[in-house]
C-alpha cells in the first residue's frame, strides 16, 4: 500500500509519498543523505510513534526531537524564534533536515523555521491530519499570525518531500477527520466539479474510508491544487480560488478562539460565500444546494450551530481585517472575497480575482445560512 | 551626475541608481506605480532629509515613515516583529512598498520585514553608508542575529531597486566612510586584483573622493560581486569568497559589542586570514603585504589597535560559533574559513570552499598581525 506523486508548484517540484508503513518513510529520509534530523512534533501525537521513528533512524543518522503545543493562538513569530533557538542549541546546522510532524498549524510554523534558519535548510513534512495531508502541504505558503491578522508574516518555501503515514490518522477523532475533508469539498465545487458525484458516493459521517478511498481524496486534491499552482505559486491569481470560503471561514475561526476547527469555519464560509455568489446572480440555486449536500454528507453541520452565537455584525467586523486586502482597490463598507461564477469557475472581473462584497449582501446571506442550517439539524 | 546599473544575481535582476539628486529618486519611486510608501529610516539620519523626501512624495503617493535605532545588538527577530506590527498598524498592505533608508544593519532587518510581510512586498533600498551602498545591497541576503550567532535567521529577497543618493554620504564621519571601503579592498584582493593599482592610486585617509571616484568604487564592487553571484545567488559556492576576512572579522566585531565597525573587523580579518593563507603555503609574502598596504592607505590601522585588547583565545572561542559551520565535515579544534590560494583566487579543496584551520595556525597568524600593526602605528 504505497502511492507516490510529483507535486509541481511554480518552477518547483517535490515528491509526495502516501503509505501505511513507517519503514518506507525511514528509507526515504535516509535517501535524502542528511547527517542530522531534527523532528519538531505536535505534543498531541502518540509518544510511542515518535520513539519508534527515532529508533528506526538512530544509529545511522543523528536524530533530535522536540514536542511543541501549537494552535492559532501561538502561531506567531515568537514561536518561530523559540523553536529556532532550541534547534540551534541542539546543534542544528545548515546541512541538517527539519521534520515537521503534525497538523497544518505546526507545518506552517516549522516550515517558516526551516525557511529562515541559515536562510533555508531542508524541510520534510509528515502531516498527521487530513487537512494538512490533503491541503496545506500542497502549497509553498508558510506563515504565522500577527495581532493584526492571520498569516501576515511568512514566505514561500519548498519542502524536500512530503510523507503521509496513513497509520497516523487512526488516532484522529471523527470531528477532526471530517473537518479535514472540507478543503476537498472546496476543491470539488471550485475547481473539479466533474468529480463531485464520485466523491459524494464515498463521503460518510462515520469516517469509514479505506486506504484507497483516502488515496482518491489525495489524488483529487493534488490535481485540483497543482493544476492551478503550477502557474501561480504565489497564489495571487488563479490560485486565489483556494481562498473561496476562507474570508468568512477565517473570521468565525478567529472569533471562536480555537473552538471551531479550521475546516468547520471554512464549511460555514463555503455556504455563506456560495449564497453571496447566488445573491449577486452568479451561482444558480442548485449549485448552492450542492455545497450544502456535500457538507451535510460528512456530518459537520451540527458543529456549525455553534457559529449561531456570533452576530453577523461581529463576523463582518473581523472580516474587515482579512488578508485579501490589497488585492484590489478598496471601498468603505465592503470586504474583498473570492466568489464563484459557476461550479468550477472563479468569478473574475477586470483581471481581479476578488469581488468587493457589501455589508447588506453579506448579512442577507449569513441569515439564509443560519436558517438553512437549523432546517438540517 | 547619474549612473545606472543592472544588478544580476541568480535569475534575478534589479536596477541600481547612483545620483546626487533626490528628485531623480522620487521619479524612480513614482515609476514603480505604488500607491503607498512606508519609509523605515535610521534615527541617525538627518530629519530634514526625511522631511524633504516625504514632501516630494506626498500628494500623489500615501507616505508614512518611522525612525528606528538599530545595531548588531538589536538586529534580531523581535525587531522584525516590532517593525512589521508598526507598519500593519499604519495600514501597510500587500500593494505597498517599503523603503529601507539607512546602513547595512537597517537594510538587513527591513529587507527581512519586506520579505515576510504578506509573504513578500516591494522593497527599495536607499543605502546611506558606503558599506551598504557598495556591498550589502549587492546581495539578496537578508538576515538577523540570534543569541547563538550572527545572521542565523533570514532569507534571500530581491529589492525592486536600489537608489544611492550620494548627498547622504556628506554627513558620514571619516571613520565610517573608511570602514565602508574595506569590502571593496576585500573584493580587490579576492576577486579583481587587476584593479588594485588603479584603486590604490585613489585611496586616501582624508575621504576626499569625487562623485566619479566613488562611482568607480561602486562599478568595481558590482563587477566583483555580480560576476560571481549571477551563478551563485545563495552564496554557497563561488560566492563564499565574499566571506573572506569575515570569520575573524565577525568575531572581533562581536567581542567589541559595537565598538569596532564591521569594516574595521573585516580589515583585521583580512590581515589575519591572509597570514593564515600564507602560513599554509598558499599566499606569497608580497601578496599578504598588499593587504596591509591597501588597508593602511585608508588610515584605519589606528582603529585596529583596539583589537589588541582581546586575546587570541577569546577571538578563537567566538569563531567556533561562526555560521560557516556546516559547509564541510568538522573536526574538533578547527574552524572553517574561506582562504585565498593567490590574489583573485579562492582556495578550494575537493569541491569545498572552506578550509578547516587549526588553532595554532590561527594564533601564530594573529600574533603576526598584532606585531605588524604596532610597526605601522
Amino acid at each position: 500500500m504505497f502511492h507516490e506523486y510529483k507535486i509541481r508548484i511554480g518552477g518547483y517540484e517535490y515528491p509526495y509519498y502516501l503509505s501505511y508503513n513507517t519503514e518506507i518513510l525511514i528509507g526515504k529520509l535516509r535517501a535524502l543523505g542528511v547527517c542530522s534530523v531534527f523532528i519538531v512534533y505536535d505534543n498531541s501525537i502518540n509518544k510511542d510513534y515518535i520513539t519508534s521513528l527515532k529508533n528506526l533512524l538512530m544509529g545511522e543518522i543523528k536524530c533530535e526531537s522536540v514536542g511543541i503545543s501549537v494552535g492559532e493562538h501561538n502561531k506567531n513569530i515568537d514561536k518561530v524564534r523559540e523553536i529556532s533557538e532550541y534547534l540551534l542549541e541542539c546543534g542544528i546546522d545548515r546541512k541538517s533536515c527539519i521534520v515537521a510532524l503534525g497538523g497544518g498549524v505546526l507545518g506552517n510554523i516549522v516550515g517558516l523555521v526551516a525557511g529562515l534558519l541559515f536562510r533555508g535548510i531542508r524541510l520534510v513534512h509528515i502531516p498527521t491530519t487530513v487537512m494538512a495531508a490533503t491541503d496545506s502541504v500542497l502549497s509553498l505558503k508558510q506563515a504565522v499570525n500577527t495581532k493584526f491578522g492571520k498569516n501576515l508574516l511568512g514566505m514561500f518555501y519548498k519542502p524536500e518531500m512530503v510523507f503521509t503515514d496513513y497509520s497516523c490518522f487512526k488516532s484522529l477523532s471523527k470531528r477532526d477527520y471530517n473537518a479535514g475533508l472540507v478543503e476537498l469539498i472546496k476543491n470539488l465545487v471550485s475547481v473539479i466539479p466533474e468529480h463531485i458525484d464520485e466523491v459524494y458516493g464515498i463521503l460518510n459521517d462515520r469516517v469509514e474510508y479505506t486506504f484507497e478511498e483516502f488515496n482518491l481524496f489525495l489524488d483529487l486534491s493534488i490535481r485540483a491544487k497543482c493544476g492551478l499552482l503550477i502557474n501561480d505559486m504565489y497564489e495571487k491569481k488563479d490560485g486565489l480560488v483556494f481562498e473561496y470560503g476562507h474570508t468568512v471561514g477565517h473570521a468565525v475561526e478567529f472569533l471562536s478562539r480555537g473552538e471551531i476547527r479550521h475546516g468547520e469555519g471554512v464549511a460555514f464560509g463555503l455556504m455563506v460565500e456560495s449564497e453571496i455568489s447566488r445573491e449577486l446572480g452568479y451561482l444558480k440555486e442548485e449549485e448552492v444546494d450542492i455545497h450544502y449536500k456535500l457538507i451535510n454528507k460528512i456530518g459537520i453541520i451540527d458543529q456549525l450551530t455553534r457559529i449561531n452565537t456570533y452576530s453577523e455584525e461581529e463576523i463582518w467586523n473581523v472580516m474587515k481585517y482579512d488578508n485579501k486586502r490589497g488585492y484590489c482597490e478598496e471601498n468603505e463598507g465592503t470586504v474583498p472575497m473570492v466568489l464563484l461564477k459557476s461550479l468550477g469557475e472563479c468569478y473574475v472581473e477586470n483581471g481581479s480575482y476578488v469581488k468587493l462584497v457589501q455589508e447588506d449582501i453579506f448579512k442577507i446571506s449569513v441569515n439564509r445560512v443560519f436558517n438553512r442550517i437549523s432546517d438540517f439539524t
Side-chain angles (χ1 to χ4, degrees), chain A:
Chain A
M1 293 207 291
F2 177 77
H3 292 282
E4 179 172 350
Y5 296 92
K6 281 256 167 289
I7 309 301
R8 291 194 183 84
I9 298 180
Y12 297 96
E13 188 178 302
Y14 53 95
Y16 187 123
Y17 307 108
L18 171 66
S19 175
Y20 223 121
N21 185 334
T22 315
E23 289 194 28
I24 294 182
L25 159 61
I26 300 299
K28 296 296 178 190
L29 270 177
R30 281 209 189 99
L32 289 178
V34 294
C35 323
S36 57
V37 168
F38 292 74
I39 302 172
V40 184
Y41 62 90
D42 193 297
N43 273 330
S44 68
I45 289 169
N46 189 317
K47 295 288 175 297
D48 293 342
Y49 184 73
I50 312 292
T51 311
S52 74
L53 254 188
K54 284 181 75 171
N55 286 342
L56 284 165
L57 272 172
M58 301 260 264
E60 285 173 65
I61 301 176
K62 178 187 167 184
C63 183
E64 300 275 351
S65 65
V66 53
I68 57 174
S69 297
V70 288
E72 288 293 336
H73 65 288
N74 65 358
K75 183 187 173 189
N76 55 40
I77 202 79
D78 292 335
K79 202 71 189 169
V80 168
R81 194 203 48 205
E82 188 188 317
I83 297 169
S84 303
E85 288 180 348
Y86 182 82
L87 296 174
L88 285 164
E89 202 172 343
C90 293
I92 199 164
D93 70 31
R94 55 180 79 240
K95 281 192 171 166
S96 305
C97 174
I98 297 187
V99 173
L101 180 68
V105 172
L106 182 135
N108 255 215
I109 299 174
V110 178
L112 190 52
V113 168
L116 290 173
L117 261 177
F118 302 98
R119 298 193 189 89
I121 63 173
R122 283 177 283 187
L123 166 69
V124 169
H125 280 299
I126 306 183
T128 58
T129 66
V130 173
M131 199 281 276
T134 63
D135 194 63
S136 59
V137 300
L138 302 176
S139 163
L140 305 187
K141 282 182 175 180
Q142 317 294 344
V144 294
N145 306 331
T146 74
K147 61 181 173 182
F148 295 95
K150 263 180 81 96
N151 297 332
L152 293 181
L153 289 174
M155 65 194 292
F156 295 88
Y157 196 67
K158 180 193 86 77
E160 288 300 305
M161 70 173 200
V162 175
F163 192 100
T164 294
D165 187 341
Y166 194 72
S167 66
C168 288
F169 294 172
K170 280 185 295 190
S171 55
L172 288 178
S173 69
K174 273 190 190 180
R175 184 179 170 193
D176 283 325
Y177 201 115
N178 284 326
L181 290 171
V182 174
E183 301 284 1
L184 170 66
I185 291 176
K186 176 200 69 185
N187 292 336
L188 287 168
V189 294
S190 63
V191 186
I192 46 169
E194 63 276 19
H195 292 281
I196 289 176
D197 291 343
E198 182 184 4
V199 174
Y200 186 79
I202 300 173
L203 291 178
N204 61 70
D205 61 1
R206 304 172 306 279
V207 301
E208 286 169 3
Y209 302 111
T210 65
F211 180 78
E212 291 305 330
E213 281 168 344
F214 177 80
N215 182 51
L216 171 70
F217 298 161
L218 176 62
D219 187 21
L220 292 175
S221 303
I222 292 172
R223 273 196 241 179
K225 293 205 76 171
C226 299
L228 297 182
L229 298 187
I230 193 162
N231 295 316
D232 183 24
M233 69 165 266
Y234 296 115
E235 305 186 31
K236 287 183 177 168
K237 294 177 178 173
D238 287 343
L240 264 178
V241 73
F242 300 118
E243 286 294 307
Y244 180 51
H246 281 64
T247 308
V248 174
H250 278 161
V252 295
E253 194 187 350
F254 177 83
L255 280 171
S256 83
R257 297 169 185 276
E259 256 293 286
I260 293 166
R261 302 281 187 274
H262 175 73
E264 292 162 0
V266 174
F268 180 74
L270 288 173
M271 294 190 284
V272 176
E273 297 180 22
S274 71
E275 294 285 3
I276 293 171
S277 301
R278 195 189 60 82
E279 200 62 37
L280 293 172
Y282 315 144
L283 281 189
K284 298 195 201 82
E285 184 120 16
E286 56 271 30
E287 292 176 311
V288 174
D289 291 347
I290 288 172
H291 288 68
Y292 287 86
K293 275 181 65 184
L294 284 162
I295 292 166
N296 190 45
K297 193 84 188 287
I298 55 171
I300 69 171
I301 285 196
D302 273 1
Q303 302 292 350
L304 305 188
T305 52
R306 298 166 195 255
I307 296 170
N308 222 328
T309 57
Y310 310 119
S311 69
E312 314 99 289
E313 199 66 30
E314 278 176 291
I315 303 173
W316 180 258
N317 284 336
V318 174
M319 282 163 55
K320 285 196 287 193
Y321 292 97
D322 186 75
N323 72 1
K324 275 174 285 301
R325 297 221 157 266
Y327 277 120
C328 58
E329 290 296 316
E330 292 181 27
N331 270 316
E332 271 302 309
T334 65
V335 165
M337 288 186 210
V338 173
L339 299 175
L340 292 193
K341 196 173 162 193
S342 63
L343 291 184
E345 192 185 1
C346 184
Y347 178 84
V348 187
E349 191 178 45
N350 303 326
S352 171
Y353 290 75
V354 295
K355 170 80 183 169
L356 292 175
V357 174
Q358 305 216 307
E359 194 171 350
D360 57 337
I361 301 282
F362 166 75
K363 288 187 174 173
I364 291 167
S365 305
V366 170
N367 277 315
R368 192 174 246 272
V369 173
F370 281 147
N371 288 332
R372 292 189 69 172
I373 285 180
S374 59
D375 289 349
F376 267 102
T377 53

